[in-house]
Each structure stands twice: as structure tokens, then as C-alpha cells.
Amino acid sequence: LLGGLFGGAGGGARARSQAASGPARGQDVETEATLSFEEAVLGVTVPLRMQSPGSCPTCNGSGAKPGTSPHTCPVCQGAGVTSRSQGAFAFSEPCRNCRGTGSVVDDPCPTCSGSGITSQTRTITVRIPAGVRDGQRIRLAGKGAPGRRGGPAGDLFVVVHVSEHALFGRKDDDLTLTVPITFAEAALGTTLTVPTLDGTVSLKVPAGTSSGRTLRVRGRGVPAKKRTGDLLVTLDIAVPVRLTPAERKLVEQLAEEMDEDPRPQITAALQAGGER
């Protein structure tokens, strides 16, 4: 309204005309990629097949049938907007003849029906960095839909889905692993060979290790920008479900020999309650 009052309508129309006919940035595109646990931790290069809007290959984005070309709209003279006066006020609105584009296509392209844009299938190769998490959204600049009239391409956003691993879990940049050990190994101590995502490592279990204790193997976790995470190995004492007669006899003998109370605090509480 103020532009109409102070003679600025023409400048506004020219600005809208330049916006309508100038370069336009391409649309951002979002797709999904499913990775294995190892690929997410170590990084991988994957091909992505996707559909997105792009310049029509038949008319090269002009919207006109090959052999013809758009011409300036005779109603708005290429401005893309029309103005009308109502008393002291001037109103501007998109040109209805050219739909605000500033140009008219008399003979539309049969492929895109005059829009200049078609849905296209393309395959691009994307490098997924090491250490991505499930649900993370990765931005790839300039990999989205192509721009119009020479404008820059949009961005591609890849939503990552990570499959679970049969052995390993993940806590931030650390990998987690649960390893069963026998009672004898926990009581006497041992050296275990445990897997990692890129090989194996030897792990020393101290004598007298309790079930649920976690040992840390440094530098064998998830690669990160600042440092590589660790492998956290939780030891779980495996209790046999069935014992042979010979095994049962040995366990009973061991129980008779061992006089250490595994529940001293509970025993003290029970004794205190009995005295009261």
C-alpha cells in the first residue's frame, strides 16, 4: 500500500520480475540409508538411488515444446505482477495470465506439460563418515535437486538407520560387549581373546573378578573427531544349568571348604534383628 502511495509500485514489480525470471535455488531433498553396525562405526561409501525434481530433459527447463520458446507475457510485460488502483491506493498481485512467471508458453512441452520440471531417478555415491548414529541426519551440500535458470542445487539430507549387531552395543563413542566366563576363570583369573570390529584383542581377567565387572580396552571403540572410543567388556559369570554327578560332588566339596560369607552385611543385619 505504501509503495502505491509513494510511487514505489513500479520498483516492487521490477523486483518481483527479476525474482521470477532470475536463477532459483533447487529444492532440498531427503532420503534414507540403512547401514550395518560395522558400516556405521567404520564409515562406508554407498550408492543412493533416489527420485527428485529436475530440469526437464526435453525442453531443458524452458517448459516450451522443442523448436519453440516462451515469450514475454503481454499482460504484465514480463513483470510477473499486475497493478490496479482503487482510489488513493494501488494494489499489486501475481499476473493471472502467466501465473507470475513473466513469460507465456503457447506450445507446452509434452514431457513436463509446460512446467519445465520432471521427476527424475538418479544414483549418486555418498560417503557416510565413521561414527554416525542411528537416526542421524547428514547434510550433503549441493547434492539436492538442480537449480532452475542457472541457480545453485539444493542440499541432500540423508537420514541414517543403523542395524543392530549380534554381539556389540554402543554407548556414545564406546562399544559394549558382554563376555561370559566360568566360575573358575573368575576365581583364578585368566586371559581371554575377545572380538573387536576390526580383529581381536587379549584381555586379562584378574583373579577374584565378580560378575558384572566391566573392563576397558582403550582405543578399540568408535572413531571420532577428537579421539577413538573404547571397548567396554562386561564379564558375566556363567552358571551351569545341569551338573553331572561328578561335577555336583566337586561343587559340594568346594562349598564345604569355602567358609567366606558372601553376604556379610545381610548376615550382620539379621544378627542385629535377632538380638532385638
Side-chain angles (χ1 to χ4, degrees):
L1 294 178
L2 293 177
L5 285 174
F6 297 102
R14 283 191 295 272
R16 282 185 288 271
S17 173
Q18 292 172 357
S21 59
R25 182 181 179 275
Q27 294 181 356
D28 292 338
V29 178
E30 184 173 288
T31 187
E32 298 179 338
T34 300
L35 308 179
S36 68
F37 191 90
E38 293 91 339
E39 291 172 337
V41 171
L42 303 176
V44 66
T45 299
V46 296
L48 295 179
R49 185 177 177 86
M50 50 191 294
Q51 281 192 335
S52 62
S55 297
C56 175
T58 303
C59 64
N60 294 321
S62 69
K65 184 178 180 180
T68 67
S69 60
H71 63 85
T72 301
C73 175
V75 175
C76 65
Q77 303 300 319
V81 294
T82 56
S83 301
R84 59 185 177 87
S85 298
Q86 186 174 348
F89 299 97
F91 298 90
S92 296
E93 61 183 2
C95 176
R96 297 182 180 181
N97 187 55
C98 65
R99 299 182 180 180
T101 63
S103 60
V104 176
V105 176
D106 292 328
D107 199 355
C109 171
T111 302
C112 63
S113 301
S115 67
I117 300 175
T118 58
S119 179
Q120 301 175 10
T121 301
R122 57 190 176 122
T123 300
I124 62 174
T125 301
V126 176
R127 175 63 186 176
I128 304 295
V132 295
R133 294 178 173 84
D134 183 56
Q136 185 172 341
R137 197 165 178 254
I138 301 175
R139 174 178 173 266
L140 302 172
K143 296 294 186 180
R148 300 180 62 186
R149 298 181 295 274
D155 298 335
L156 172 63
F157 293 89
V158 182
V159 179
V160 177
H161 300 287
V162 181
S163 303
E164 294 184 356
H165 196 278
L167 295 177
F168 295 99
R170 181 173 176 179
K171 182 179 180 182
D172 296 329
D173 290 331
D174 294 332
L175 294 179
T176 60
L177 175 67
T178 299
V179 177
I181 60 174
T182 65
F183 170 78
E185 291 173 331
L188 303 177
T190 187
T191 299
L192 302 174
T193 299
V194 297
T196 67
L197 285 180
D198 56 356
T200 59
V201 65
S202 295
L203 182 66
K204 186 175 181 180
V205 178
T209 294
S210 59
S211 184
R213 181 176 180 179
T214 298
L215 303 179
R216 183 182 297 269
V217 182
R218 299 194 178 276
R220 303 307 292 266
V222 180
K225 291 183 179 180
K226 294 184 179 180
R227 70 172 188 89
T228 300
D230 302 329
L231 173 64
L232 306 180
V233 181
T234 300
L235 302 175
D236 182 24
I237 297 179
V239 178
V241 178
R242 297 181 179 86
L243 295 174
T244 65
E247 291 171 339
R248 177 177 291 277
K249 185 176 181 179
L250 290 174
V251 173
E252 291 173 348
Q253 292 176 356
L254 178 62
E256 292 175 358
E257 292 292 333
M258 298 180 66
D259 57 359
E260 181 180 358
D261 185 1
R263 300 173 291 275
Q265 294 178 342
I266 294 178
T267 301
L270 291 174
Q271 291 176 349
E275 292 175 357
R276 290 197 297 270

